[in-house]
PDB file of all heavy atoms in Angstrom:
ATOM      1  N   TYR Q   1     130.530 248.400 193.014  1.00  0.00           N
ATOM      2  CA  TYR Q   1     129.603 247.278 193.038  1.00  0.00           C
ATOM      3  C   TYR Q   1     128.378 247.680 193.809  1.00  0.00           C
ATOM      4  O   TYR Q   1     128.443 248.463 194.766  1.00  0.00           O
ATOM      5  CB  TYR Q   1     130.254 246.063 193.611  1.00  0.00           C
ATOM      6  CG  TYR Q   1     131.352 245.433 192.828  1.00  0.00           C
ATOM      7  CD1 TYR Q   1     132.645 245.931 192.832  1.00  0.00           C
ATOM      8  CD2 TYR Q   1     131.165 244.343 191.991  1.00  0.00           C
ATOM      9  CE1 TYR Q   1     133.666 245.408 192.077  1.00  0.00           C
ATOM     10  CE2 TYR Q   1     132.168 243.774 191.198  1.00  0.00           C
ATOM     11  CZ  TYR Q   1     133.411 244.281 191.277  1.00  0.00           C
ATOM     12  OH  TYR Q   1     134.437 243.782 190.512  1.00  0.00           O
ATOM     13  N   GLY Q   2     127.229 247.021 193.533  1.00  0.00           N
ATOM     14  CA  GLY Q   2     126.027 247.222 194.265  1.00  0.00           C
ATOM     15  C   GLY Q   2     125.328 245.935 194.704  1.00  0.00           C
ATOM     16  O   GLY Q   2     125.420 244.951 194.024  1.00  0.00           O
ATOM     17  N   LYS Q   3     124.795 245.971 195.918  1.00  0.00           N
ATOM     18  CA  LYS Q   3     124.029 244.876 196.481  1.00  0.00           C
ATOM     19  C   LYS Q   3     122.573 245.381 196.570  1.00  0.00           C
ATOM     20  O   LYS Q   3     122.290 246.244 197.322  1.00  0.00           O
ATOM     21  CB  LYS Q   3     124.523 244.413 197.803  1.00  0.00           C
ATOM     22  CG  LYS Q   3     123.780 243.207 198.315  1.00  0.00           C
ATOM     23  CD  LYS Q   3     124.437 242.731 199.701  1.00  0.00           C
ATOM     24  CE  LYS Q   3     123.802 241.471 200.218  1.00  0.00           C
ATOM     25  NZ  LYS Q   3     124.503 241.028 201.426  1.00  0.00           N
ATOM     26  N   THR Q   4     121.699 244.818 195.754  1.00  0.00           N
ATOM     27  CA  THR Q   4     120.355 245.351 195.557  1.00  0.00           C
ATOM     28  C   THR Q   4     119.308 244.293 195.759  1.00  0.00           C
ATOM     29  O   THR Q   4     119.365 243.185 195.221  1.00  0.00           O
ATOM     30  CB  THR Q   4     120.176 245.888 194.133  1.00  0.00           C
ATOM     31  OG1 THR Q   4     121.192 246.921 193.943  1.00  0.00           O
ATOM     32  CG2 THR Q   4     118.792 246.523 193.943  1.00  0.00           C
ATOM     33  N   TRP Q   5     118.283 244.657 196.634  1.00  0.00           N
ATOM     34  CA  TRP Q   5     117.078 243.790 196.799  1.00  0.00           C
ATOM     35  C   TRP Q   5     115.885 244.559 196.473  1.00  0.00           C
ATOM     36  O   TRP Q   5     115.637 245.711 196.966  1.00  0.00           O
ATOM     37  CB  TRP Q   5     117.028 243.360 198.240  1.00  0.00           C
ATOM     38  CG  TRP Q   5     118.200 242.447 198.664  1.00  0.00           C
ATOM     39  CD1 TRP Q   5     119.294 242.870 199.324  1.00  0.00           C
ATOM     40  CD2 TRP Q   5     118.287 241.040 198.488  1.00  0.00           C
ATOM     41  NE1 TRP Q   5     120.113 241.743 199.552  1.00  0.00           N
ATOM     42  CE2 TRP Q   5     119.507 240.613 199.029  1.00  0.00           C
ATOM     43  CE3 TRP Q   5     117.474 240.104 197.910  1.00  0.00           C
ATOM     44  CZ2 TRP Q   5     119.908 239.316 199.020  1.00  0.00           C
ATOM     45  CZ3 TRP Q   5     117.875 238.750 197.856  1.00  0.00           C
ATOM     46  CH2 TRP Q   5     119.118 238.378 198.460  1.00  0.00           C
ATOM     47  N   HIS Q   6     115.071 244.018 195.582  1.00  0.00           N
ATOM     48  CA  HIS Q   6     113.769 244.565 195.236  1.00  0.00           C
ATOM     49  C   HIS Q   6     112.694 243.755 195.976  1.00  0.00           C
ATOM     50  O   HIS Q   6     112.766 242.510 196.026  1.00  0.00           O
ATOM     51  CB  HIS Q   6     113.497 244.553 193.756  1.00  0.00           C
ATOM     52  CG  HIS Q   6     114.108 245.669 192.978  1.00  0.00           C
ATOM     53  ND1 HIS Q   6     113.524 246.900 192.914  1.00  0.00           N
ATOM     54  CD2 HIS Q   6     115.264 245.803 192.277  1.00  0.00           C
ATOM     55  CE1 HIS Q   6     114.241 247.732 192.175  1.00  0.00           C
ATOM     56  NE2 HIS Q   6     115.356 247.053 191.805  1.00  0.00           N
ATOM     57  N   VAL Q   7     111.777 244.428 196.567  1.00  0.00           N
ATOM     58  CA  VAL Q   7     110.746 243.792 197.397  1.00  0.00           C
ATOM     59  C   VAL Q   7     109.337 244.023 196.838  1.00  0.00           C
ATOM     60  O   VAL Q   7     108.353 243.529 197.462  1.00  0.00           O
ATOM     61  CB  VAL Q   7     110.824 244.256 198.875  1.00  0.00           C
ATOM     62  CG1 VAL Q   7     112.175 243.820 199.455  1.00  0.00           C
ATOM     63  CG2 VAL Q   7     110.674 245.784 199.007  1.00  0.00           C
ATOM     64  N   TRP Q   8     109.164 244.791 195.800  1.00  0.00           N
ATOM     65  CA  TRP Q   8     107.813 245.167 195.360  1.00  0.00           C
ATOM     66  C   TRP Q   8     107.835 245.304 193.809  1.00  0.00           C
ATOM     67  O   TRP Q   8     108.520 246.249 193.285  1.00  0.00           O
ATOM     68  CB  TRP Q   8     107.329 246.437 196.005  1.00  0.00           C
ATOM     69  CG  TRP Q   8     105.888 246.694 195.803  1.00  0.00           C
ATOM     70  CD1 TRP Q   8     104.962 246.043 195.037  1.00  0.00           C
ATOM     71  CD2 TRP Q   8     105.159 247.793 196.423  1.00  0.00           C
ATOM     72  NE1 TRP Q   8     103.739 246.671 195.143  1.00  0.00           N
ATOM     73  CE2 TRP Q   8     103.824 247.746 195.984  1.00  0.00           C
ATOM     74  CE3 TRP Q   8     105.542 248.893 197.253  1.00  0.00           C
ATOM     75  CZ2 TRP Q   8     102.864 248.609 196.340  1.00  0.00           C
ATOM     76  CZ3 TRP Q   8     104.551 249.777 197.628  1.00  0.00           C
ATOM     77  CH2 TRP Q   8     103.214 249.649 197.186  1.00  0.00           C
ATOM     78  N   SER Q   9     107.078 244.455 193.082  1.00  0.00           N
ATOM     79  CA  SER Q   9     107.057 244.506 191.690  1.00  0.00           C
ATOM     80  C   SER Q   9     105.895 245.397 191.193  1.00  0.00           C
ATOM     81  O   SER Q   9     104.907 244.918 190.568  1.00  0.00           O
ATOM     82  CB  SER Q   9     106.913 243.065 191.112  1.00  0.00           C
ATOM     83  OG  SER Q   9     108.053 242.295 191.441  1.00  0.00           O
ATOM     84  N   THR Q  10     106.014 246.641 191.452  1.00  0.00           N
ATOM     85  CA  THR Q  10     104.966 247.555 190.944  1.00  0.00           C
ATOM     86  C   THR Q  10     104.935 247.566 189.447  1.00  0.00           C
ATOM     87  O   THR Q  10     103.888 247.926 188.871  1.00  0.00           O
ATOM     88  CB  THR Q  10     105.173 248.942 191.524  1.00  0.00           C
ATOM     89  OG1 THR Q  10     106.382 249.549 191.061  1.00  0.00           O
ATOM     90  CG2 THR Q  10     105.129 249.011 193.042  1.00  0.00           C
ATOM     91  N   ASP Q  11     106.028 247.313 188.774  1.00  0.00           N
ATOM     92  CA  ASP Q  11     106.053 247.231 187.300  1.00  0.00           C
ATOM     93  C   ASP Q  11     105.155 246.233 186.745  1.00  0.00           C
ATOM     94  O   ASP Q  11     104.675 246.306 185.622  1.00  0.00           O
ATOM     95  CB  ASP Q  11     107.517 247.013 186.905  1.00  0.00           C
ATOM     96  CG  ASP Q  11     108.046 245.663 187.292  1.00  0.00           C
ATOM     97  OD1 ASP Q  11     108.004 245.383 188.518  1.00  0.00           O
ATOM     98  OD2 ASP Q  11     108.462 244.849 186.457  1.00  0.00           O
ATOM     99  N   ARG Q  12     104.798 245.214 187.581  1.00  0.00           N
ATOM    100  CA  ARG Q  12     103.901 244.145 187.128  1.00  0.00           C
ATOM    101  C   ARG Q  12     102.496 244.307 187.609  1.00  0.00           C
ATOM    102  O   ARG Q  12     101.622 243.439 187.497  1.00  0.00           O
ATOM    103  CB  ARG Q  12     104.456 242.762 187.500  1.00  0.00           C
ATOM    104  CG  ARG Q  12     105.745 242.443 186.840  1.00  0.00           C
ATOM    105  CD  ARG Q  12     106.189 241.021 187.089  1.00  0.00           C
ATOM    106  NE  ARG Q  12     107.242 240.638 186.138  1.00  0.00           N
ATOM    107  CZ  ARG Q  12     107.856 239.441 186.078  1.00  0.00           C
ATOM    108  NH1 ARG Q  12     107.434 238.467 186.970  1.00  0.00           N
ATOM    109  NH2 ARG Q  12     108.785 239.165 185.217  1.00  0.00           N
ATOM    110  N   GLY Q  13     102.251 245.521 188.244  1.00  0.00           N
ATOM    111  CA  GLY Q  13     100.921 245.814 188.640  1.00  0.00           C
ATOM    112  C   GLY Q  13     100.578 245.393 190.075  1.00  0.00           C
ATOM    113  O   GLY Q  13      99.373 245.559 190.482  1.00  0.00           O
ATOM    114  N   ASP Q  14     101.537 244.818 190.832  1.00  0.00           N
ATOM    115  CA  ASP Q  14     101.253 244.433 192.200  1.00  0.00           C
ATOM    116  C   ASP Q  14     100.878 245.628 193.083  1.00  0.00           C
ATOM    117  O   ASP Q  14     101.687 246.539 193.143  1.00  0.00           O
ATOM    118  CB  ASP Q  14     102.460 243.685 192.762  1.00  0.00           C
ATOM    119  CG  ASP Q  14     102.707 242.345 192.129  1.00  0.00           C
ATOM    120  OD1 ASP Q  14     101.860 241.906 191.322  1.00  0.00           O
ATOM    121  OD2 ASP Q  14     103.733 241.688 192.473  1.00  0.00           O
ATOM    122  N   ARG Q  15      99.781 245.641 193.713  1.00  0.00           N
ATOM    123  CA  ARG Q  15      99.384 246.757 194.517  1.00  0.00           C
ATOM    124  C   ARG Q  15      99.858 246.602 195.979  1.00  0.00           C
ATOM    125  O   ARG Q  15      99.514 247.462 196.769  1.00  0.00           O
ATOM    126  CB  ARG Q  15      97.880 246.915 194.446  1.00  0.00           C
ATOM    127  CG  ARG Q  15      97.419 247.315 192.995  1.00  0.00           C
ATOM    128  CD  ARG Q  15      95.973 247.658 192.883  1.00  0.00           C
ATOM    129  NE  ARG Q  15      95.621 248.822 193.645  1.00  0.00           N
ATOM    130  CZ  ARG Q  15      94.323 249.155 193.882  1.00  0.00           C
ATOM    131  NH1 ARG Q  15      93.335 248.453 193.432  1.00  0.00           N
ATOM    132  NH2 ARG Q  15      94.104 250.228 194.610  1.00  0.00           N
ATOM    133  N   LEU Q  16     100.475 245.516 196.270  1.00  0.00           N
ATOM    134  CA  LEU Q  16     101.136 245.288 197.600  1.00  0.00           C
ATOM    135  C   LEU Q  16     102.440 244.551 197.304  1.00  0.00           C
ATOM    136  O   LEU Q  16     102.583 243.877 196.351  1.00  0.00           O
ATOM    137  CB  LEU Q  16     100.228 244.472 198.528  1.00  0.00           C
ATOM    138  CG  LEU Q  16      98.958 245.199 199.094  1.00  0.00           C
ATOM    139  CD1 LEU Q  16      98.126 244.162 199.850  1.00  0.00           C
ATOM    140  CD2 LEU Q  16      99.392 246.354 199.993  1.00  0.00           C
ATOM    141  N   PRO Q  17     103.384 244.583 198.287  1.00  0.00           N
ATOM    142  CA  PRO Q  17     104.663 243.842 198.097  1.00  0.00           C
ATOM    143  C   PRO Q  17     104.494 242.403 198.363  1.00  0.00           C
ATOM    144  O   PRO Q  17     104.307 241.955 199.526  1.00  0.00           O
ATOM    145  CB  PRO Q  17     105.598 244.515 199.176  1.00  0.00           C
ATOM    146  CG  PRO Q  17     104.917 245.804 199.607  1.00  0.00           C
ATOM    147  CD  PRO Q  17     103.463 245.484 199.480  1.00  0.00           C
ATOM    148  N   PHE Q  18     104.463 241.610 197.261  1.00  0.00           N
ATOM    149  CA  PHE Q  18     104.197 240.146 197.408  1.00  0.00           C
ATOM    150  C   PHE Q  18     105.498 239.395 197.274  1.00  0.00           C
ATOM    151  O   PHE Q  18     106.461 239.853 196.555  1.00  0.00           O
ATOM    152  CB  PHE Q  18     103.283 239.683 196.284  1.00  0.00           C
ATOM    153  CG  PHE Q  18     101.844 240.260 196.368  1.00  0.00           C
ATOM    154  CD1 PHE Q  18     101.253 240.803 195.247  1.00  0.00           C
ATOM    155  CD2 PHE Q  18     101.188 240.350 197.564  1.00  0.00           C
ATOM    156  CE1 PHE Q  18      99.980 241.280 195.297  1.00  0.00           C
ATOM    157  CE2 PHE Q  18      99.879 240.812 197.645  1.00  0.00           C
ATOM    158  CZ  PHE Q  18      99.266 241.295 196.471  1.00  0.00           C
ATOM    159  N   GLY Q  19     105.576 238.199 197.866  1.00  0.00           N
ATOM    160  CA  GLY Q  19     106.648 237.280 197.673  1.00  0.00           C
ATOM    161  C   GLY Q  19     107.964 237.635 198.404  1.00  0.00           C
ATOM    162  O   GLY Q  19     108.009 238.520 199.178  1.00  0.00           O
ATOM    163  N   GLU Q  20     108.996 236.856 198.082  1.00  0.00           N
ATOM    164  CA  GLU Q  20     110.274 237.032 198.689  1.00  0.00           C
ATOM    165  C   GLU Q  20     111.087 238.146 198.088  1.00  0.00           C
ATOM    166  O   GLU Q  20     110.819 238.492 196.889  1.00  0.00           O
ATOM    167  CB  GLU Q  20     111.099 235.709 198.524  1.00  0.00           C
ATOM    168  CG  GLU Q  20     110.477 234.544 199.190  1.00  0.00           C
ATOM    169  CD  GLU Q  20     111.317 233.282 199.072  1.00  0.00           C
ATOM    170  OE1 GLU Q  20     112.350 233.305 198.283  1.00  0.00           O
ATOM    171  OE2 GLU Q  20     110.963 232.275 199.662  1.00  0.00           O
ATOM    172  N   PRO Q  21     111.998 238.768 198.766  1.00  0.00           N
ATOM    173  CA  PRO Q  21     112.904 239.753 198.190  1.00  0.00           C
ATOM    174  C   PRO Q  21     113.651 239.151 196.979  1.00  0.00           C
ATOM    175  O   PRO Q  21     114.030 237.989 197.013  1.00  0.00           O
ATOM    176  CB  PRO Q  21     113.854 240.073 199.289  1.00  0.00           C
ATOM    177  CG  PRO Q  21     113.116 239.724 200.592  1.00  0.00           C
ATOM    178  CD  PRO Q  21     112.274 238.547 200.229  1.00  0.00           C
ATOM    179  N   MET Q  22     113.824 239.980 195.940  1.00  0.00           N
ATOM    180  CA  MET Q  22     114.507 239.549 194.784  1.00  0.00           C
ATOM    181  C   MET Q  22     115.883 240.193 194.647  1.00  0.00           C
ATOM    182  O   MET Q  22     116.014 241.408 194.698  1.00  0.00           O
ATOM    183  CB  MET Q  22     113.685 239.899 193.514  1.00  0.00           C
ATOM    184  CG  MET Q  22     112.266 239.278 193.514  1.00  0.00           C
ATOM    185  SD  MET Q  22     111.289 239.953 192.132  1.00  0.00           S
ATOM    186  CE  MET Q  22     110.916 241.623 192.845  1.00  0.00           C
ATOM    187  N   LEU Q  23     116.948 239.405 194.577  1.00  0.00           N
ATOM    188  CA  LEU Q  23     118.297 239.924 194.309  1.00  0.00           C
ATOM    189  C   LEU Q  23     118.315 240.467 192.889  1.00  0.00           C
ATOM    190  O   LEU Q  23     117.958 239.781 191.880  1.00  0.00           O
ATOM    191  CB  LEU Q  23     119.307 238.838 194.512  1.00  0.00           C
ATOM    192  CG  LEU Q  23     120.809 239.304 194.264  1.00  0.00           C
ATOM    193  CD1 LEU Q  23     121.213 240.271 195.352  1.00  0.00           C
ATOM    194  CD2 LEU Q  23     121.689 238.083 194.245  1.00  0.00           C
ATOM    195  N   ALA Q  24     118.736 241.705 192.771  1.00  0.00           N
ATOM    196  CA  ALA Q  24     118.805 242.369 191.432  1.00  0.00           C
ATOM    197  C   ALA Q  24     120.240 242.368 190.913  1.00  0.00           C
ATOM    198  O   ALA Q  24     121.197 242.223 191.679  1.00  0.00           O
ATOM    199  CB  ALA Q  24     118.259 243.806 191.505  1.00  0.00           C
ATOM    200  N   TRP Q  25     120.427 242.477 189.585  1.00  0.00           N
ATOM    201  CA  TRP Q  25     121.655 242.503 188.966  1.00  0.00           C
ATOM    202  C   TRP Q  25     121.781 243.769 188.082  1.00  0.00           C
ATOM    203  O   TRP Q  25     120.929 244.645 188.132  1.00  0.00           O
ATOM    204  CB  TRP Q  25     121.888 241.218 188.180  1.00  0.00           C
ATOM    205  CG  TRP Q  25     123.363 240.813 188.099  1.00  0.00           C
ATOM    206  CD1 TRP Q  25     124.170 240.799 187.061  1.00  0.00           C
ATOM    207  CD2 TRP Q  25     124.132 240.310 189.216  1.00  0.00           C
ATOM    208  NE1 TRP Q  25     125.408 240.360 187.413  1.00  0.00           N
ATOM    209  CE2 TRP Q  25     125.439 240.054 188.739  1.00  0.00           C
ATOM    210  CE3 TRP Q  25     123.840 240.096 190.566  1.00  0.00           C
ATOM    211  CZ2 TRP Q  25     126.454 239.551 189.562  1.00  0.00           C
ATOM    212  CZ3 TRP Q  25     124.854 239.605 191.432  1.00  0.00           C
ATOM    213  CH2 TRP Q  25     126.088 239.357 190.919  1.00  0.00           C
ATOM    214  N   SER Q  26     122.794 243.761 187.239  1.00  0.00           N
ATOM    215  CA  SER Q  26     123.025 244.898 186.356  1.00  0.00           C
ATOM    216  C   SER Q  26     123.087 244.446 184.903  1.00  0.00           C
ATOM    217  O   SER Q  26     123.346 243.236 184.639  1.00  0.00           O
ATOM    218  CB  SER Q  26     124.345 245.631 186.706  1.00  0.00           C
ATOM    219  OG  SER Q  26     125.448 244.687 186.770  1.00  0.00           O
ATOM    220  N   PHE Q  27     122.875 245.347 183.944  1.00  0.00           N
ATOM    221  CA  PHE Q  27     123.050 245.056 182.571  1.00  0.00           C
ATOM    222  C   PHE Q  27     124.504 245.207 182.227  1.00  0.00           C
ATOM    223  O   PHE Q  27     125.095 246.250 182.502  1.00  0.00           O
ATOM    224  CB  PHE Q  27     122.219 246.013 181.716  1.00  0.00           C
ATOM    225  CG  PHE Q  27     120.745 245.765 181.817  1.00  0.00           C
ATOM    226  CD1 PHE Q  27     119.851 246.840 182.009  1.00  0.00           C
ATOM    227  CD2 PHE Q  27     120.170 244.494 181.696  1.00  0.00           C
ATOM    228  CE1 PHE Q  27     118.531 246.622 182.070  1.00  0.00           C
ATOM    229  CE2 PHE Q  27     118.815 244.277 181.771  1.00  0.00           C
ATOM    230  CZ  PHE Q  27     117.968 245.362 182.000  1.00  0.00           C
ATOM    231  N   ASN Q  28     125.111 244.209 181.538  1.00  0.00           N
ATOM    232  CA  ASN Q  28     126.517 244.244 181.278  1.00  0.00           C
ATOM    233  C   ASN Q  28     126.889 244.013 179.800  1.00  0.00           C
ATOM    234  O   ASN Q  28     128.048 243.996 179.420  1.00  0.00           O
ATOM    235  CB  ASN Q  28     127.283 243.202 182.125  1.00  0.00           C
ATOM    236  CG  ASN Q  28     127.219 243.590 183.592  1.00  0.00           C
ATOM    237  OD1 ASN Q  28     127.928 244.492 184.016  1.00  0.00           O
ATOM    238  ND2 ASN Q  28     126.399 242.871 184.350  1.00  0.00           N
ATOM    239  N   ARG Q  29     125.805 243.839 178.961  1.00  0.00           N
ATOM    240  CA  ARG Q  29     125.981 243.691 177.542  1.00  0.00           C
ATOM    241  C   ARG Q  29     124.875 244.523 176.858  1.00  0.00           C
ATOM    242  O   ARG Q  29     123.740 244.621 177.379  1.00  0.00           O
ATOM    243  CB  ARG Q  29     125.947 242.251 177.107  1.00  0.00           C
ATOM    244  CG  ARG Q  29     127.107 241.396 177.633  1.00  0.00           C
ATOM    245  CD  ARG Q  29     126.888 239.932 177.357  1.00  0.00           C
ATOM    246  NE  ARG Q  29     126.827 239.604 175.937  1.00  0.00           N
ATOM    247  CZ  ARG Q  29     127.834 239.275 175.166  1.00  0.00           C
ATOM    248  NH1 ARG Q  29     129.108 239.419 175.623  1.00  0.00           N
ATOM    249  NH2 ARG Q  29     127.706 239.020 173.892  1.00  0.00           N
ATOM    250  N   ASP Q  30     125.187 245.054 175.686  1.00  0.00           N
ATOM    251  CA  ASP Q  30     124.147 245.754 174.881  1.00  0.00           C
ATOM    252  C   ASP Q  30     123.084 244.712 174.428  1.00  0.00           C
ATOM    253  O   ASP Q  30     123.412 243.554 174.108  1.00  0.00           O
ATOM    254  CB  ASP Q  30     124.770 246.359 173.622  1.00  0.00           C
ATOM    255  CG  ASP Q  30     125.554 247.626 173.965  1.00  0.00           C
ATOM    256  OD1 ASP Q  30     125.140 248.332 174.935  1.00  0.00           O
ATOM    257  OD2 ASP Q  30     126.521 247.913 173.263  1.00  0.00           O
ATOM    258  N   GLY Q  31     121.866 245.092 174.533  1.00  0.00           N
ATOM    259  CA  GLY Q  31     120.737 244.199 174.146  1.00  0.00           C
ATOM    260  C   GLY Q  31     120.096 243.464 175.292  1.00  0.00           C
ATOM    261  O   GLY Q  31     119.081 242.833 175.115  1.00  0.00           O
ATOM    262  N   GLU Q  32     120.727 243.539 176.552  1.00  0.00           N
ATOM    263  CA  GLU Q  32     120.117 242.799 177.616  1.00  0.00           C
ATOM    264  C   GLU Q  32     118.826 243.446 178.110  1.00  0.00           C
ATOM    265  O   GLU Q  32     117.906 242.765 178.558  1.00  0.00           O
ATOM    266  CB  GLU Q  32     121.110 242.690 178.772  1.00  0.00           C
ATOM    267  CG  GLU Q  32     122.278 241.725 178.499  1.00  0.00           C
ATOM    268  CD  GLU Q  32     123.223 241.549 179.656  1.00  0.00           C
ATOM    269  OE1 GLU Q  32     123.190 242.357 180.591  1.00  0.00           O
ATOM    270  OE2 GLU Q  32     124.028 240.585 179.688  1.00  0.00           O
ATOM    271  N   ALA Q  33     118.716 244.724 177.996  1.00  0.00           N
ATOM    272  CA  ALA Q  33     117.464 245.420 178.419  1.00  0.00           C
ATOM    273  C   ALA Q  33     116.380 245.081 177.362  1.00  0.00           C
ATOM    274  O   ALA Q  33     116.609 245.113 176.175  1.00  0.00           O
ATOM    275  CB  ALA Q  33     117.697 246.943 178.416  1.00  0.00           C
ATOM    276  N   ARG Q  34     115.180 244.772 177.849  1.00  0.00           N
ATOM    277  CA  ARG Q  34     114.153 244.444 176.926  1.00  0.00           C
ATOM    278  C   ARG Q  34     113.798 245.697 176.047  1.00  0.00           C
ATOM    279  O   ARG Q  34     113.972 246.814 176.525  1.00  0.00           O
ATOM    280  CB  ARG Q  34     112.914 243.986 177.679  1.00  0.00           C
ATOM    281  CG  ARG Q  34     112.170 245.023 178.463  1.00  0.00           C
ATOM    282  CD  ARG Q  34     110.836 244.502 179.039  1.00  0.00           C
ATOM    283  NE  ARG Q  34     110.130 245.531 179.760  1.00  0.00           N
ATOM    284  CZ  ARG Q  34     110.251 245.873 181.025  1.00  0.00           C
ATOM    285  NH1 ARG Q  34     111.017 245.093 181.731  1.00  0.00           N
ATOM    286  NH2 ARG Q  34     109.542 246.783 181.575  1.00  0.00           N
TER     287      ARG Q  34
END
């Protein structure tokens, strides 16, 4: 199991770490990934 926190959404173009930490999860079914 993993406990994951993301703190910077560079994937969305944020050039600084904005907002609260985000608890991340895992993909557990086919098709969940965009």
Side-chain angles (χ1 to χ4, degrees):
Y1 291 82
K3 184 177 185 178
T4 302
W5 295 96
H6 277 278
V7 296
W8 190 356
S9 297
T10 62
D11 63 305
R12 293 189 167 181
D14 291 352
R15 296 185 65 190
L16 288 174
F18 296 134
E20 296 181 354
M22 299 171 289
L23 180 66
W25 211 248
S26 53
F27 292 132
N28 292 286
R29 292 170 64 86
D30 284 329
E32 289 184 343
R34 69 173 184 268

